[in-house]
Amino acid sequence: MTHDLKALFKPRSVALIGASNDSRKYGYWTAKSLVDNRFDGRLYMVSRTKADRIMGCKPYASILDIAEPVDLAVVGIAPKYIQGVIAECAQKKVKCVIVVSTGFGETGAAGKAVEKQLLQTARQGGMCLMGPNCMGNYSAAVNLNTSIIDLAPGPLSLVLQSGNFGIDINVNAKTRGLGYSCWATIGNQVDLRFHDFVDYIKDDAATRVVLLYMEGLRVESEADGRRFMEAARAAVQKKPVVAIKIGCSAAGVRAAASHTGSLAGSEAVFDAALRQAGVIRVESSTDLLDVAEAFVKCAPAKGNRIAVLTDGGGHGVMAVDKAERFGLAAPELSAETQDKLRRILMPHCPVKNPVDLAGTPEADMWVFDRCAAVLLNDPQVDGLIIVGLYGGYADLSDEFRRLEMDVAESLLKRVKASGKPVVMHSMYQPYRPACLTHLSQGGIPVYAAIESAVQAMGCLVGYQNSRQRLADENKAPAPFLPVDRKKEVDCILAAVRAAGRVHLVETEAREVLRAYGFVLPPHELVQSAEHAADCVEKMGKAAAMKIVSPHILHKSEADGVRLNIQTRPQARGAFDQLVTAARRYRSDADIFGVMVTPMLPAGVECIIGALHDVTFGPTVMFGLGGVFVEVLKDVAFRVAPVKPYEARVMLNDIQGRAVLKGVRGAAPVDEGALAQAVSRLSCLAAECGDIAEVDLNPVMARSDGLDVADARMVLIA
Amino acid sequence: MTHDLKALFKPRSVALIGASNDSRKYGYWTAKSLVDNRFDGRLYMVSRTKADRIMGCKPYASILDIAEPVDLAVVGIAPKYIQGVIAECAQKKVKCVIVVSTGFGETGAAGKAVEKQLLQTARQGGMCLMGPNCMGNYSAAVNLNTSIIDLAPGPLSLVLQSGNFGIDINVNAKTRGLGYSCWATIGNQVDLRFHDFVDYIKDDAATRVVLLYMEGLRVESEADGRRFMEAARAAVQKKPVVAIKIGCSAAGVRAAASHTGSLAGSEAVFDAALRQAGVIRVESSTDLLDVAEAFVKCAPAKGNRIAVLTDGGGHGVMAVDKAERFGLAAPELSAETQDKLRRILMPHCPVKNPVDLAGTPEADMWVFDRCAAVLLNDPQVDGLIIVGLYGGYADLSDEFRRLEMDVAESLLKRVKASGKPVVMHSMYQPYRPACLTHLSQGGIPVYAAIESAVQAMGCLVGYQNSRQRLADENKAPAPFLPVDRKKEVDCILAAVRAAGRVHLVETEAREVLRAYGFVLPPHELVQSAEHAADCVEKMGKAAAMKIVSPHILHKSEADGVRLNIQTRPQARGAFDQLVTAARRYRSDADIFGVMVTPMLPAGVECIIGALHDVTFGPTVMFGLGGVFVEVLKDVAFRVAPVKPYEARVMLNDIQGRAVLKGVRGAAPVDEGALAQAVSRLSCLAAECGDIAEVDLNPVMARSDGLDVADARMVLIA
C-alpha cells in the first residue's frame, strides 16, 4: 500500500511524546527544534516528567489528555514503553507516528519482533509509521522540524536512511545556500519506505530536485523493489531524482547454479534498476549537492554539445578531456563562430573549443562576456562550461574587482536570456570571492573542481535524455505475445512441479518459450535409436542430438550433446552413445530420451537470461556469449518486464556492443529481433513469478533473425 | 644531454634583466618577489630605464656591467631584444638563464625560429635555459623566488608547464600548510625539460614528493621521452612521483595501417609509460595535493589490507565500497581482533570491518582511541582509515571539544608508534575544527571526502608496490637473445631497403624473428605448384600456404591463404589458386612465391605488436586476439625494451587476463613463454630503431608454449 504522507509533511498539529527539559536528552533537543523552527500548527508536549512547562508549553501526561485532534506524533521514548504509547496514539486517531527511538530491528531478532508489533498496532489504528531508529523529518511548507539538525527551507527534498549522512549532506548544502522542502530520515523502514516518500515528493511543487541516500531497500517481498521503481519512474518524469546508493543489498541474489545467476550480483541489478527508472546515481555527498545545485540553478539542457571557455589553457584542456566521460561532446566550433571569436580575441588565442582567452582578460575583462555571448548564440552549442581563474582577478587590483563583478552581472543576464545551461569552475572558489557568490546566486553554479562542473553539466544532459527515454518508452508498443501464453505455461510448470522437480528439461523449456511467441526450430523427443534415425532422415538436414534428463543440467559435462548428425547410422550411434554417457555420468538419472533438432546456422553468440532478484524480483539479462560473459562479465540487466524499445536500449549497454553492429566485415545482427526476444523473456519472467532462472545460451543472432540454441529453466524452489 | 640544475636552484648570484619600478609591469613584480623572498645570494637588477634605484638596488644598464660573476639570469624583456641580451649573458658566462618573456614558439613558426636561435646562443655559451614563456622558479634552499606567485618552503617539489596550474596547485597546497623545496614552470621547454628537473629533484634531500603537471613532453626525438622515463624511474626508486597529464600529445602516433598501429593512441602509450616508470597519475590539482599530503605525512604502507573505523555506519560502508577501486582490500578482521573490539564496544556495533562505533563516542569518546589501538596492533592490518564525524562532536559541548582534542593527541602517538599509515575523513573538515587541524599537522591527513582518503591510502600502497616492482625488475634477468641478432637483422632490413621497400614479406619477417630467438616452425618459399607439392609431402603433415608479395599486406583480403593442405594435388591446386587470386587482387603485384608451413595446433589467440610512438619511440604491445582487441581495445603497452619479468606484469594488465589463466576448463597458457616473446620483440624494436610496426597476429598461446601464426613488419618510411 502507498501512504498519503500529508500528515507527515503538512500536519495541522504535532505532539512530541517524550519531551524533556533536560538539555542532555533527545526529547529536549527535539522540543527545542520544533519550537525554534516555529511550526505553523498546534504543538503539544507529552511527558511523564512532572515539569510545569516544557519550552513554554504545558506538558500532557499522555497524548490521550490532549483535547484537540493530533495529526502527527513524534515518539522519542525508551523501547520498553513504546508499544503502549503507540497504542495510545492509535486510540487518539493520530494519522502518522514518527518513532525516533533506537533499539529495535537494528539490534537483532528481539528488536525485529517489537517492530512487527509496532507495525501491527499502527496498521490497526490506521496510522502510518516512520522509523524507528530515525532522526525525524522537516517540512518547509509548515515550518516543521522534528529532527535535531538545523535545516533551512529551499528547493531540495532529501530522503535518507542515515542520520549521519543527513548531517553530512546538510553541511554541504549550507555552504551553497541550499535548503529543503521535504526532508526525512526513514530509519528502519518498518512501514513508510522510499517509494512512499518519492511518490509524495514528486507532487510537491516546492521541490525542484529529489535526493535519496540509500543503503538498500527494505524488502519483505520484491513488491517493495517494484514500488520503488514505479515511484521513481513517475517522479523522474516530473523532476530529477539523484541518489547515492552504498553497499550491496544484504542477502544478495538467490544462490544459483547457472551462468546467469552467478553473474547477477544484486549490486549490478540495483544499479541497472536505478538507471532504468531514470535515477541519476552519484557517489558522494559532494557529488550529490554538485548535481543538485546545477538542477536548481540551470536551464534544462537541450543537447550534449558543450563549449568550453577558459582563461587557463590547461584548465580548458582538462575540461574537454573529461567531457566524454560524462556523456558530453565538445566538438570543434563552427567556422562562423570561430570567425566571430577571432574578431574578439588576439591571434594566439585558440578558438576551436576550448576557447582560450590566454591572457587577454588582464587587458580587457569584457572578453569573457563577449565570447560567452558568441558561444551562447551559436545554435550548435547546447551548454557552456567556463573554467579557470575567474574570481581571482580581484586580487590584482580594485579596478579588476569592480570589473569582475560588472562582467559577472552581464554574464548572468546573457545566460538567463539564452535559456541554456552554464556552469563554471574557478580555482578561487574555495575562497568564495564576492563575484563568484554573485554568479552562483544568480544562476551559474561555480565549482572548485573542473570535474564537478563537467559532471554537473553531464547530469543536466543525462536527465533530459532519461526523461525523453521514459516518455518514448511509455509510447512504445508492447511486445507481441500470444493470448493464451500464461495458461499454457502454467500447465507445463504445474506438470514439472507435480513431478517434484524445479528444473525443466530442455524440451519443456522450449515449449514454454514457444508459448511466449519464440519461434524455435522443431524438436522431437525420441526414446530409441531407431526413432532417432527416423527423425534425422525425416528432417533431411544435419541434426543436433541432446540427452534429455531432469538430472543432467549441464549437458556438455555429461557428454550429452552430439552435433552434425547426417545419416541414419550416425543417428543410431549418437543415441546409444548419449544414453551410455548419461548412465556413466549418473547411473540413477531419469532419462526422458534424446532430443533431435536441426543444426542451426552460425551467428553471433548471445545470452539472454532471467533471474529472480531479491530486491526487484523478475529481472532480465543480456550479454554476448563466450569470453564476453565469462571473462568480462559484460552483461546488462533490466527489471522485468521491458518493452522491445527498452530492450533495444539495453542491448547497447554492453561494452561489446560493436559485435552486434558487425565486426570483421560481418553484417550487423537483427537488433529488433534480439530486442523482441529479450522483451518476450522479460514478460515470461514477470508474468510467471515463480521462475528462478532462465538461461538461453547460446542464442545465435544473425542479420536475418536469431535462434535459441539451448534453453535452461529453473523454478523457484 | 642532462643539465646540472645547481645554477637554477642554488645560484650564488642572480641578475634580473628587465627589472622595473613600474608596478604594472612583470619586471617590477619579479623584482619584488626576489627581494621580498630575501634571496640568500647576491641580487642584481638590470634595467635600461634610468631609475636610480630598483627595490633599493642600484640597477645596471647591462649584465656586462656587473663586476662579480652571475650564476643565474632571469630575463623578462620584449622578444625583439632577447637575442642580444642572451648573447650578453653568454659573454658574462652566466650558467643558467630563465626567459619568462612570452611571444615565442607558442605564437607560431616565427616564434619557433627565434627560440632556435636562443637555444643555439645558450648552448654556445655553455648556459642552460629555462623557458621561454614560463613563470620562473622557486628554491627554498636559497630563498629564491623568480616567480610572481607567493610560494612557501616545504617538502614538495613541483614542475609544471602551466603557470595557471601553478597558481591553482598553490592555492590548494596553502590550505594544507604545504610548500615547496623546488618549484619550476618550464614553459616552452626549449632547452631544460621535465627529465632535467626530475633528475635534479630526486637527489634534493628536502623533497619528499615530486609533483608534475604535464601537458605533453616536448619531443624533438623519442630520446626525450626515454630520458624522461629513465629520470622518472630513477626518482621513483627514491621518492614518490605524482603527475597530472592532460590532453594527448600533439602529433599522435605515426599513422599506421595495421591493427597495432590503429589501436595505439599515444595517450594510451603515455599512460602506460607513466605507470611503467612507477609514476602515480592523478586527475586534478585536488587529487595531486590529496596524495602528496599523504606521502608527506604518513608512514609507508607495507601491504594493502586496510581497516576502516567509523562513527557513521554509512560512511564506513562507503569507504569499504571504494577500497577495491584503489587497489586496497578491506578483509574481515581476525576473530582475535573482533574479540578485542567486542570488549570495547556495545553489542550492536559491527566489528568485522568496517568497525562501526555506532553512537558509542557520545558516551565515551575514548572508544576511538582504544579501537584504533586494537586495529593498529593487528599484524594483519596494514593501514587504517577513519571516516565519519570526528571533529564535529566539539559543537555539542565544551567537554566534547576538550575530549576530541585529547583523543586526537593520543591517536597521534599511537599512529606514530605503530609505523602504519593512517588517513582520515571527516565531514566537518570543511570547517577546519581545531582537533582536525591538530591531527593533520601531527601526521594524520584529514580529507573532506571519503574517496580522497581511500585514494590517498591506495596511492601509499601503490607506490610501495611500484618501488618493489622496479627493484625486482632491476634484478630480473634479461631475455635470452642470440649474439649475432642485430647483424643478421640489419642484413635483412638492408636488403628490404635496397629493394625500395618498407614492408617486409612474411618470410623476411620470420627470419627477423628467428634472429631474435623466436622459434618458428620451418617454412619454405616455393615458386611452383610442383615444388609446393614436394614441400607438403616432405612435411608429412597438414600445411598452410600463403601468398608472399610485398604488394599484398593483408593476405586474407587478397584471398591469399589456404589452410589444411594435406595432399600433393591439394598443394598444387592451392598454389595455382593463390597466384591467380593475387593477380586478380593486384595485377602488377610482385609475387615472391608461396610460403608453405605446417598447420599449427590451436591455442589462445593473442597479438604481440610493436610500434614507434612519437613521444617514447619503440613501444611493445600485447593483447588477446579477436574481439578483445577489435571491439574492446583491450591491450597493454610498454615502452621497449622490457625484461620478461616486466612483460609478465604487462600480460596481467589486460582486462581479459582470465583467458590466459584458462576458461571453460582450458589449461592456463604458458605465460613465461608469452613473456619471453613479448620481451624479445621489445628488444628487437628497441635495438633496431627503424621499425615502424610489428604485428604478430595471431600468436597461438598454449600451455606448452606458443606459435607465431602470422607476422607483419613495416620499417619507418
Side-chain angles (χ1 to χ4, degrees):
Chain A
M1 100 189 182
T2 300
H3 303 83
D4 178 4
L5 301 196
K6 215 178 140 196
L8 188 64
F9 288 112
K10 293 184 178 167
R12 285 156 307 177
S13 50
V14 174
L16 171 62
I17 304 178
S20 168
N21 273 329
D22 181 343
S23 69
R24 292 163 308 174
K25 294 216 163 157
Y26 206 90
Y28 167 83
W29 301 336
T30 311
K32 188 166 181 332
S33 196
L34 279 164
V35 170
D36 285 356
N37 220 73
R38 297 163 189 269
F39 170 54
D40 286 354
R42 288 184 307 274
L43 202 54
Y44 305 100
M45 300 291 168
V46 178
S47 174
R48 306 177 124 216
T49 60
K50 303 279 182 280
D52 263 3
R53 295 262 148 191
I54 295 179
M55 296 281 154
C57 309
K58 194 188 135 24
Y60 298 83
S62 156
I63 193 169
L64 294 172
D65 297 339
I66 301 169
E68 299 84 2
V70 172
D71 285 348
L72 174 66
V74 182
V75 182
I77 57 173
K80 58 183 169 181
Y81 302 119
I82 207 108
Q83 189 58 38
V85 163
I86 298 296
E88 285 181 0
C89 288
Q91 197 185 332
K92 177 68 188 167
K93 298 203 183 307
V94 163
K95 289 176 184 153
C96 184
V97 179
I98 302 176
V99 180
V100 294
S101 320
T102 59
F104 295 90
E106 77 277 13
T107 60
K112 283 205 170 68
V114 179
E115 278 181 355
K116 266 201 175 157
Q117 289 172 352
L118 282 189
L119 178 60
Q120 207 178 7
T121 311
R123 287 270 162 85
Q124 282 167 356
M127 303 188 296
C128 61
L129 190 156
M130 186 171 95
N133 186 28
C134 74
M135 272 213 207
N137 74 330
Y138 170 86
S139 174
V142 294
N143 292 316
L144 173 72
N145 192 349
T146 70
S147 89
I148 58 168
I149 305 175
D150 179 26
L151 303 165
L156 312 176
S157 278
L158 171 63
V159 186
L160 27 60
Q161 266 169 296
S162 155
N164 287 336
F165 257 97
I167 300 171
D168 190 340
I169 291 167
N170 194 45
V171 163
N172 215 314
K174 273 189 164 177
T175 60
R176 303 168 198 247
L178 291 175
Y180 311 92
S181 174
C182 303
W183 185 99
T185 54
I186 63 178
N188 293 1
Q189 303 180 69
V190 163
D191 184 22
L192 292 180
R193 299 179 186 174
F194 274 107
H195 62 86
D196 298 303
F197 292 89
V198 172
D199 217 45
Y200 177 85
I201 293 168
K202 81 166 191 294
D203 297 319
D204 174 54
T207 300
R208 300 273 306 279
V209 193
V210 185
L211 306 180
L212 308 176
Y213 165 88
M214 315 177 84
E215 301 191 353
L217 295 175
R218 162 114 182 190
V219 280
E220 271 145 24
S221 80
E222 71 224 32
D224 287 305
R226 290 173 170 264
R227 280 201 203 108
F228 172 74
M229 292 276 292
E230 279 162 35
R233 276 178 92 101
V236 167
Q237 286 168 77
K238 295 190 158 193
K239 50 192 75 167
V241 180
V242 190
I244 296 177
K245 157 72 172 66
I246 64 161
C248 300
S249 77
V253 285
R254 211 169 286 253
S258 80
H259 259 159
T260 312
S262 66
L263 289 170
S266 61
E267 160 62 15
V269 175
F270 209 114
D271 188 68
L274 288 178
R275 276 187 295 125
Q276 186 174 359
V279 174
I280 296 162
R281 187 171 177 183
V282 294
E283 297 219 358
S284 69
S285 56
T286 306
D287 287 356
L288 190 75
L289 270 297
D290 281 347
V291 172
E293 192 179 351
F295 279 118
V296 168
K297 294 178 177 171
C298 296
K302 297 212 173 62
N304 77 337
R305 298 164 305 176
I306 54 148
V308 172
L309 177 61
T310 182
D311 50 352
H315 291 97
V317 177
M318 196 182 257
V320 170
D321 266 357
K322 291 185 190 292
E324 198 185 344
R325 188 184 317 167
F326 295 105
L328 299 171
E332 192 170 317
L333 295 166
S334 69
E336 197 188 333
T337 292
Q338 290 193 40
D339 278 349
K340 287 181 189 163
L341 293 166
R342 273 266 154 274
R343 267 171 259 148
I344 299 168
L345 294 172
M346 297 207 289
H348 72 275
C349 297
V351 294
K352 288 185 173 173
N353 199 10
V355 176
D356 185 356
L357 305 178
T360 46
E362 280 94 339
D364 177 8
M365 190 71 68
W366 287 98
V367 289
F368 271 106
D369 189 54
R370 291 204 295 276
C371 290
V374 170
L375 294 169
L376 289 170
N377 281 333
D378 182 341
Q380 289 169 47
V381 170
D382 299 312
L384 176 62
I385 303 182
I386 304 175
V387 297
L389 329 176
Y390 206 81
Y393 295 97
D395 291 350
L396 299 178
S397 72
D398 280 341
E399 190 196 340
F400 276 136
R401 189 179 307 276
R402 277 189 304 275
L403 266 170
E404 267 194 332
M405 194 56 111
D406 291 347
V407 171
E409 187 58 37
S410 175
L411 262 177
L412 285 173
K413 280 186 196 135
R414 285 197 197 283
V415 169
K416 213 151 264 169
S418 76
K420 293 181 182 178
V422 178
V423 299
M424 200 159 162
H425 152 267
S426 170
M427 62 171 153
Y428 291 99
Q429 172 64 0
Y431 299 144
R432 308 202 171 268
C435 84
L436 295 184
T437 303
H438 187 63
L439 282 165
S440 176
Q441 285 169 351
I444 303 181
V446 185
Y447 302 97
I450 289 173
E451 178 153 329
S452 304
V454 180
Q455 172 176 265
M457 181 65 83
C459 287
L460 292 176
V461 172
Y463 172 60
Q464 292 304 328
N465 291 346
S466 291
R467 228 171 116 126
Q468 187 60 49
R469 173 175 60 77
L470 293 179
D472 290 347
E473 225 164 87
N474 289 341
K475 281 179 288 181
F480 166 75
L481 293 170
V483 179
D484 288 333
R485 60 191 182 269
K486 182 74 167 60
K487 213 163 66 188
E488 272 185 59
V489 169
D490 284 347
C491 238
I492 300 168
L493 301 189
V496 172
R497 294 265 188 206
R501 287 190 282 131
V502 291
H503 290 94
L504 278 71
V505 294
E506 187 175 346
T507 45
E508 291 161 343
R510 292 166 77 94
E511 291 308 334
V512 168
L513 293 175
R514 286 200 181 99
Y516 267 76
F518 280 82
V519 178
L520 292 113
H523 71 257
E524 280 205 58
L525 182 63
V526 299
Q527 270 83 20
S528 73
E530 211 43 40
H531 192 179
D534 292 348
C535 274
V536 168
E537 191 175 53
K538 197 174 65 189
M539 228 155 21
K541 48 183 167 181
M545 292 172 61
K546 303 184 197 174
I547 196 75
V548 178
S549 161
H551 298 116
I552 298 176
L553 303 178
H554 292 278
K555 290 180 278 277
S556 55
E557 270 180 19
D559 191 21
V561 180
R562 289 291 179 284
L563 299 177
N564 212 24
I565 306 297
Q566 298 190 305
T567 64
R568 290 188 63 95
Q570 282 173 351
R572 276 193 297 259
F575 183 92
D576 293 339
Q577 286 162 13
L578 286 170
V579 172
T580 309
R583 285 266 165 269
R584 206 182 311 123
Y585 178 72
R586 185 165 162 179
S587 59
D588 66 340
D590 197 358
I591 295 175
F592 288 8
V594 167
M595 188 179 83
V596 185
T597 51
M599 286 294 288
L600 298 172
V604 173
E605 271 193 43
C606 302
I607 300 185
I608 305 176
L611 57 101
H612 198 94
D613 183 75
V614 70
T615 304
F616 296 101
T619 300
V620 68
M621 179 271 238
F622 172 78
L624 291 170
V627 291
F628 278 100
V629 71
E630 285 182 42
V631 176
L632 303 174
K633 320 288 184 214
D634 179 20
V635 295
F637 293 97
R638 287 291 186 284
V639 176
V642 292
K643 291 179 176 177
Y645 173 91
E646 201 172 348
R648 192 136 183 186
V649 174
M650 179 185 175
L651 301 182
N652 285 282
D653 272 1
I654 61 167
Q655 284 185 286
R657 70 187 77 86
V659 173
L660 302 177
K661 317 293 175 198
V663 286
R664 294 188 164 176
V669 307
D670 181 347
E671 289 193 29
L674 262 183
Q676 275 287 342
V678 169
S679 173
R680 281 202 179 99
L681 185 66
S682 78
C683 293
L684 167 65
E687 292 174 2
C688 309
D690 61 346
I691 294 178
E693 296 164 36
V694 182
D695 197 12
L696 311 186
N697 178 14
V699 172
M700 308 306 284
R702 298 183 313 270
S703 59
D704 62 347
L706 58 82
D707 279 306
V708 177
D710 199 0
R712 293 183 56 255
M713 216 171 277
V714 185
L715 305 181
I716 292 173
Chain B
M1 99 186 182
T2 299
H3 303 82
D4 178 6
L5 300 196
K6 215 178 141 196
L8 190 64
F9 288 113
K10 292 182 177 168
R12 285 156 305 174
S13 51
V14 175
L16 172 62
I17 304 179
S20 169
N21 273 327
D22 181 344
S23 69
R24 291 163 309 175
K25 294 212 164 157
Y26 206 90
Y28 167 82
W29 301 338
T30 310
K32 189 167 181 333
S33 197
L34 279 163
V35 170
D36 286 356
N37 219 71
R38 298 162 188 268
F39 170 53
D40 285 353
R42 289 184 307 275
L43 202 54
Y44 305 99
M45 300 292 167
V46 178
S47 174
R48 308 178 121 215
T49 61
K50 305 276 181 278
D52 265 0
R53 297 260 148 192
I54 295 180
M55 294 281 153
C57 310
K58 194 188 137 24
Y60 298 83
S62 157
I63 193 168
L64 294 173
D65 299 339
I66 301 170
E68 300 84 4
V70 173
D71 286 347
L72 175 66
V74 183
V75 181
I77 57 173
K80 56 182 168 181
Y81 303 118
I82 208 109
Q83 188 60 36
V85 163
I86 297 296
E88 287 180 0
C89 289
Q91 197 183 334
K92 176 68 189 165
K93 299 205 182 303
V94 162
K95 290 178 183 152
C96 184
V97 180
I98 302 175
V99 181
V100 295
S101 321
T102 59
F104 295 90
E106 76 278 13
T107 61
K112 282 205 169 67
V114 178
E115 279 181 356
K116 265 199 177 159
Q117 290 173 350
L118 282 190
L119 177 60
Q120 208 179 3
T121 312
R123 286 270 162 87
Q124 283 167 355
M127 304 187 295
C128 60
L129 191 156
M130 185 171 95
N133 187 28
C134 75
M135 272 213 206
N137 74 331
Y138 170 86
S139 173
V142 294
N143 292 316
L144 173 73
N145 193 350
T146 70
S147 90
I148 59 168
I149 305 175
D150 178 26
L151 303 164
L156 313 176
S157 279
L158 172 63
V159 186
L160 26 60
Q161 267 169 296
S162 155
N164 287 335
F165 257 98
I167 301 172
D168 190 338
I169 291 168
N170 194 44
V171 163
N172 216 314
K174 274 188 161 178
T175 59
R176 304 167 200 246
L178 291 175
Y180 312 92
S181 173
C182 303
W183 185 99
T185 54
I186 62 178
N188 293 1
Q189 304 180 68
V190 163
D191 182 24
L192 293 178
R193 299 179 186 176
F194 274 108
H195 61 87
D196 298 303
F197 292 90
V198 172
D199 217 44
Y200 177 85
I201 293 169
K202 80 165 190 296
D203 297 318
D204 174 54
T207 300
R208 300 274 306 278
V209 193
V210 185
L211 306 180
L212 308 175
Y213 165 88
M214 316 178 82
E215 300 191 353
L217 295 176
R218 162 113 180 192
V219 279
E220 270 144 25
S221 80
E222 71 225 33
D224 288 305
R226 287 172 174 265
R227 283 201 202 109
F228 173 74
M229 291 277 294
E230 278 161 36
R233 276 178 91 100
V236 167
Q237 286 169 75
K238 295 189 158 195
K239 49 192 74 166
V241 180
V242 190
I244 296 178
K245 158 72 172 67
I246 66 161
C248 300
S249 78
V253 285
R254 212 168 284 251
S258 81
H259 259 157
T260 313
S262 66
L263 289 171
S266 62
E267 159 63 16
V269 175
F270 209 114
D271 189 69
L274 288 177
R275 277 186 293 124
Q276 185 174 358
V279 175
I280 296 162
R281 187 171 177 183
V282 295
E283 298 220 358
S284 69
S285 57
T286 306
D287 288 356
L288 190 75
L289 270 297
D290 281 347
V291 171
E293 193 179 350
F295 278 118
V296 168
K297 294 178 178 172
C298 296
K302 297 212 173 61
N304 78 337
R305 299 163 304 176
I306 54 148
V308 173
L309 176 62
T310 182
D311 51 350
H315 291 97
V317 176
M318 196 181 257
V320 170
D321 267 356
K322 291 185 190 292
E324 198 185 346
R325 187 184 317 165
F326 294 104
L328 300 170
E332 193 169 317
L333 295 165
S334 70
E336 196 189 333
T337 292
Q338 289 194 41
D339 278 350
K340 287 181 189 163
L341 292 165
R342 273 266 154 275
R343 268 172 260 147
I344 299 168
L345 295 170
M346 298 209 287
H348 73 276
C349 296
V351 293
K352 289 186 173 173
N353 198 13
V355 177
D356 185 356
L357 304 178
T360 44
E362 279 93 339
D364 176 8
M365 190 70 68
W366 287 97
V367 289
F368 271 105
D369 189 54
R370 291 203 295 275
C371 289
V374 170
L375 294 169
L376 289 170
N377 282 332
D378 182 341
Q380 289 169 49
V381 169
D382 299 312
L384 175 62
I385 303 181
I386 304 175
V387 297
L389 328 178
Y390 205 81
Y393 295 97
D395 291 350
L396 299 177
S397 74
D398 281 340
E399 191 196 339
F400 275 134
R401 188 178 308 274
R402 277 189 303 274
L403 265 170
E404 267 194 332
M405 195 56 111
D406 292 346
V407 171
E409 188 57 37
S410 175
L411 262 177
L412 284 174
K413 281 186 196 136
R414 285 196 196 284
V415 169
K416 214 150 266 172
S418 75
K420 294 181 182 178
V422 178
V423 299
M424 200 158 161
H425 152 266
S426 169
M427 62 170 149
Y428 291 100
Q429 172 65 359
Y431 299 144
R432 307 199 172 269
C435 84
L436 295 185
T437 303
H438 187 62
L439 283 165
S440 177
Q441 286 168 350
I444 304 181
V446 185
Y447 302 98
I450 289 172
E451 178 152 329
S452 304
V454 180
Q455 172 176 265
M457 181 65 83
C459 288
L460 292 177
V461 172
Y463 172 59
Q464 293 304 327
N465 291 345
S466 291
R467 229 171 114 126
Q468 187 60 51
R469 173 174 60 76
L470 293 180
D472 290 347
E473 226 164 86
N474 288 341
K475 281 180 288 180
F480 166 76
L481 293 171
V483 176
D484 289 334
R485 60 191 183 268
K486 181 75 166 57
K487 212 163 65 186
E488 274 185 59
V489 169
D490 283 347
C491 238
I492 301 168
L493 301 190
V496 172
R497 295 264 188 206
R501 288 190 280 133
V502 293
H503 290 93
L504 280 68
V505 295
E506 188 175 346
T507 45
E508 291 161 344
R510 292 166 78 95
E511 291 308 332
V512 168
L513 294 174
R514 285 199 182 101
Y516 267 78
F518 280 83
V519 178
L520 291 113
H523 70 257
E524 280 204 59
L525 180 63
V526 299
Q527 268 84 20
S528 74
E530 209 46 37
H531 192 177
D534 291 347
C535 274
V536 168
E537 192 176 51
K538 194 175 66 188
M539 228 154 27
K541 48 185 168 178
M545 291 172 61
K546 304 184 197 175
I547 195 78
V548 177
S549 160
H551 297 115
I552 298 176
L553 303 177
H554 292 279
K555 290 180 277 279
S556 55
E557 268 180 22
D559 193 18
V561 181
R562 289 292 180 283
L563 299 176
N564 212 23
I565 306 297
Q566 299 189 303
T567 64
R568 291 187 64 95
Q570 282 174 349
R572 278 192 295 261
F575 182 93
D576 293 339
Q577 286 163 14
L578 286 170
V579 172
T580 311
R583 287 265 166 268
R584 205 183 310 122
Y585 179 72
R586 186 165 161 181
S587 59
D588 65 341
D590 197 359
I591 295 175
F592 288 7
V594 167
M595 188 180 85
V596 185
T597 51
M599 288 294 289
L600 298 171
V604 173
E605 269 192 45
C606 302
I607 300 184
I608 304 176
L611 58 102
H612 198 93
D613 183 74
V614 70
T615 304
F616 296 101
T619 300
V620 68
M621 178 270 235
F622 172 79
L624 292 169
V627 291
F628 278 99
V629 71
E630 287 185 39
V631 177
L632 303 174
K633 319 290 183 215
D634 180 19
V635 294
F637 294 97
R638 287 290 185 283
V639 175
V642 293
K643 290 179 177 177
Y645 173 90
E646 201 173 349
R648 190 134 184 188
V649 174
M650 179 186 177
L651 301 181
N652 284 283
D653 271 2
I654 61 168
Q655 282 186 287
R657 70 188 74 87
V659 173
L660 301 177
K661 316 293 174 199
V663 287
R664 293 189 167 175
V669 307
D670 181 347
E671 289 192 31
L674 263 182
Q676 274 288 342
V678 170
S679 174
R680 283 203 178 97
L681 186 66
S682 79
C683 293
L684 166 64
E687 292 175 1
C688 308
D690 61 344
I691 293 178
E693 298 166 33
V694 182
D695 197 14
L696 311 186
N697 178 14
V699 171
M700 309 305 285
R702 299 182 313 269
S703 59
D704 62 346
L706 58 81
D707 278 305
V708 177
D710 199 359
R712 293 183 58 254
M713 216 171 277
V714 185
L715 304 182
I716 292 174

